[in-house]
Amino acid sequence: MTIDRMLKVLLVEDNPGDVLLVQEMLRSSGESRIEILSTNRISLVDEIVRSTPVDAVLLDLGLPDARGLETLRKLHSSYDSLPIVVLTSQEDEQLAVTALQIGAQDFLVKGTVDSHLLTRAIFYAIKRQEMDSRLHHLAYHDELTELANRKLFHEQLSRSIEWSHRRGKKFAVIFLDLDNFKLVNDTYGHTAGDLLLKQVAQRLLHLVRKSDTVARMGGDEFAIIIDSLPNFDYVSLFARKIRETIGRSHTIDSNLIDVDFSIGISLYPLDGATEAELIRKADRAMYMAKESGANHFHFYNKEMDDHETKRHALRMEFAQALERQELVLHYQPIINLRTHDLVGAEALVRWNHPQRGLLFPGQFLPDIMGTDQIVHLGDWVFEEALSRQSLWVGEGITIPISVNVDLLQIKRSDFHQKLAHLFERFADVPPHLLEIEILETTAAEGFSKLREVLDELHRMGVRFSLDDFGTGYSSLAYLKHLPIDTLKIDQSFVIGMLDNRENLAIIESIASLARIFGRNVIAEGMEEGGYSSMLMKLGCDLAQGFAISKPLPPDGFFEWRQEWISKEHHRGMSPSSPVSELSILATQVNHLAWIQRIISLVRKSVDLPLTPEEESEFLTLPVEDWYQNEGMKLFGEFPTFRELEKTRLEAQEIAQELLGHIRGRNGSSIQFHSQLFLLRKDALLALYGTLQKDALFRSLMEYKVPK
């Protein structure tokens, strides 16, 4: 056993002869690493230990001011990390067992101990105490963050309740959960996720006092006990400090990672007097904070329990609704804005509640999310949709139906098998007439087998769309790696596009992204017929919304379809005349034609001299008239136009300089200025594109929807 430092051992012994004997045994053993300190009174131990670092204690139980094992118990309680070796004249086996149970590391009997046994007992006691301390630390602390773990948190909470009850004090229990932590692991890797958890832990530790407790409860959930509150307002200030500190960006492996989190708070004794009550209510408050959005904190209040009671009651009712066949599907049409063809319908669930009437999804779906009932609902929707489709196919009508699916249902091992069985039952329905809608949040959840499940169904012919696209979780990886056929632009962007230029930019960007990846794009929430021309200009040819039709029951949908086919229902939805951006496009074409001509003439000049007519082309002022007249009139207010004009003039100057170097046969200068000219060409292309978007957005912002 290796101990490579000097050790101080306190011998508590009132017999001077025994003190000398111990010192002599250590000298005779040749052990030079042990220094003996001694006292003949238990009452002096505390003073010595506080003033001098002591590595171990040799304790005689028969001291004048000692009370045998009770003295050992108190000494161990006061210095639980200090190894104690009992050295007594009492040879009593039961006494030895009890002493070891109380906390002694060894039990030695005077007269039976030699120098070797004594030194070994001291070294072993110290090493065993170090191992015990390490094991105790591991048992009560989180290995990754070094914070208290769940077990220590519960023990500390119990002590806080007992201490606060005796002294009439207040304290708070705070639960903190990182939102979308799985997305961090999936994006940056588990090592980065671990580093983020450690950084969050350190920031929390810097916020609390020494008397407070910070624990990692598991995963991405933390808990804090704020003891001895001066007042309850202190907790609000502390929660705001957490929000400011944890909400700042975290630098992990050179990546800036923003963390969203939810905080729930319960207060002692206001919210409960037991561990279970305080933990349950802090957890309930955290759940409500999570529903409120990112970086919120909530104190527990009684309404939260009332809300949970109502939620439980609704779940019980919903289970009966499935059995009583109270659910129905309504269908909202999806049309092609250019051709006015009906290209599909989205199936949306409704609940014919016996007392409350027709309920929409927002009135019951949030309360059954995360339960088996959402899976049972999904099974029913698939069967009902395919059954309806089978009836339509029998009447010669083939309309693709899109169905929303929850991640919990996709995760079920029998998801694919159940769908395959339904297609066997409804053999007249081709799989391509079913489109499954998954939310962006579903794709972001990190379900490792998601691609495997979707690929398998896609091979069957089932199509997939990504719903609510653009709401914050978008990733090119979804389009690259998942078999997505359609992007559905969230209705919040479409409904608000007249009042928000950023919404227009988002719609145009998503439509461009869809074209690049060869996907369809559907604009949800087309509430006004006049939106159609704007959406087409932005690149959205497919749309659904109240301007086309609200969701309809099957019979109503069939009647609407007949009216739509008659061309009466969609008057006023034709595209409006082109806006002035076409003028920019025509100018760009003419300008680039001149640039390409100059480039080809430069290449020709390497081998052949230029004719006078060809040289004159370098001196031409292309599209000069447009810039001075129509362009200035239409777009002179745009900074992009002014930058475009500047770049155009620079390109003309470089062309003229090129001609001079061609005439002088200066090869190196021709090459250098050719590169400058090409750079201006790239800049012109980008600026023309930006100016077209500026013009488009201006025309859309000024556009008035027909009444």
Side-chain angles (χ1 to χ4, degrees), residues 595 647 650-651 654 675-685:
I595 290 173
T647 307
E650 289 174 352
I654 295 171
Q675 291 174 346
L676 289 180
F677 191 70
L678 288 172
L679 288 174
R680 295 304 183 280
K681 172 198 170 186
D682 293 340
L684 285 167
L685 271 173

Side-chain angles (χ1 to χ4, degrees), residues 379-398:
D379 291 342
W380 177 85
V381 169
F382 275 120
E383 182 171 2
E384 180 67 17
L386 288 178
S387 173
R388 178 60 54 185
Q389 220 161 27
S390 179
L391 292 174
W392 288 346
V393 168
E395 297 178 13
I397 302 170
T398 54

Side-chain angles (χ1 to χ4, degrees), residues 314 317-318 321 326 350-359:
L314 186 137
E317 279 190 276
F318 188 80
E326 294 172 359
R350 301 288 187 264
W351 180 2
N352 276 321
H353 195 281
Q355 283 81 42
R356 298 166 62 190
L358 190 68
L359 300 183

Side-chain angles (χ1 to χ4, degrees), residues 23-31 115:
Q23 292 173 336
E24 181 59 32
M25 280 194 291
L26 292 175
R27 276 196 296 270
S28 65
S29 69
E31 183 50 68
S115 58

Side-chain angles (χ1 to χ4, degrees), residues 411-670:
K411 284 183 174 181
R412 297 290 284 258
S413 59
D414 60 352
F415 177 59
H416 173 271
Q417 184 179 354
K418 282 187 174 181
L419 266 183
H421 180 64
L422 283 175
F423 280 118
E424 289 177 3
R425 283 180 56 195
F426 303 104
D428 54 340
V429 179
H432 72 267
L433 290 183
L434 175 67
E435 182 163 280
I436 295 177
E437 295 191 15
I438 60 174
L439 292 171
E440 276 196 81
T441 47
T442 298
E445 280 288 335
F447 174 43
S448 60
K449 293 186 177 180
L450 179 62
R451 180 178 178 178
E452 179 184 331
V453 173
L454 300 191
D455 280 343
E456 195 168 5
L457 290 171
H458 206 254
R459 284 192 291 270
M460 285 175 53
V462 176
R463 297 171 61 81
F464 290 94
S465 61
L466 203 55
D467 200 10
D468 292 351
F469 196 79
T471 52
Y473 298 91
S474 304
S475 170
L476 292 178
Y478 306 155
L479 301 182
K480 185 177 179 181
H481 298 296
L482 297 179
I484 302 298
D485 301 285
T486 303
L487 303 183
K488 300 193 76 172
I489 301 175
D490 186 66
Q491 62 178 350
S492 61
F493 301 120
V494 178
I495 293 173
M497 68 181 181
L498 289 181
D499 305 314
N500 191 326
R501 176 180 171 134
E502 290 183 357
N503 283 359
L504 294 172
I506 289 171
I507 295 170
E508 196 269 343
S509 297
I510 295 175
S512 297
L513 193 65
R515 284 196 300 273
I516 291 170
F517 282 89
R519 308 294 196 264
N520 295 320
V521 60
I522 298 174
E524 297 183 292
M526 197 181 95
E527 305 300 285
E528 301 285 348
Y531 284 14
S532 61
S533 59
M534 291 185 285
L535 288 171
M536 282 185 281
K537 290 172 187 176
L538 292 170
C540 296
D541 291 344
L542 308 181
Q544 68 183 94
F546 278 27
I548 302 165
S549 172
K550 66 180 182 180
L552 299 165
D555 292 343
F557 180 85
F558 193 82
E559 292 175 5
W560 174 91
R561 175 181 172 274
Q562 295 301 114
E563 290 182 26
W564 186 263
I565 293 173
S566 72
K567 306 295 184 182
E568 294 296 324
H569 193 67
H570 50 75
R571 286 179 178 175
M573 296 187 66
S574 300
S576 61
S577 59
V579 292
S580 54
E581 61 265 21
L582 293 178
S583 171
I584 303 171
L585 182 60
T587 304
Q588 175 184 328
V589 171
N590 292 332
H591 201 168
L592 290 179
W594 173 78
I595 290 173
Q596 288 299 124
R597 177 61 176 162
I598 296 299
I599 292 171
S600 65
L601 289 175
V602 171
R603 290 171 180 163
K604 176 189 175 184
S605 70
V606 175
D607 301 314
L608 297 170
L610 299 179
T611 66
E613 291 78 11
E614 289 172 335
E615 288 188 358
S616 68
E617 294 188 49
F618 283 82
L619 305 175
T620 301
L621 301 179
V623 296
E624 177 81 11
D625 183 67
W626 183 86
Y627 273 88
Q628 297 300 325
N629 296 291
E630 184 181 2
M632 177 61 70
K633 180 181 178 181
L634 291 173
F635 312 113
E637 66 186 271
F638 292 136
T640 305
F641 180 81
R642 296 192 290 272
E643 184 66 22
L644 189 59
E645 169 72 347
K646 176 185 173 185
T647 307
R648 176 185 74 92
L649 294 174
E650 289 174 352
Q652 290 175 189
E653 290 175 4
I654 295 171
Q656 294 169 11
E657 291 176 8
L658 266 171
L659 179 60
H661 294 304
I662 290 171
R663 288 169 174 171
R665 309 301 294 175
N666 190 336
S668 60
S669 294
I670 292 173

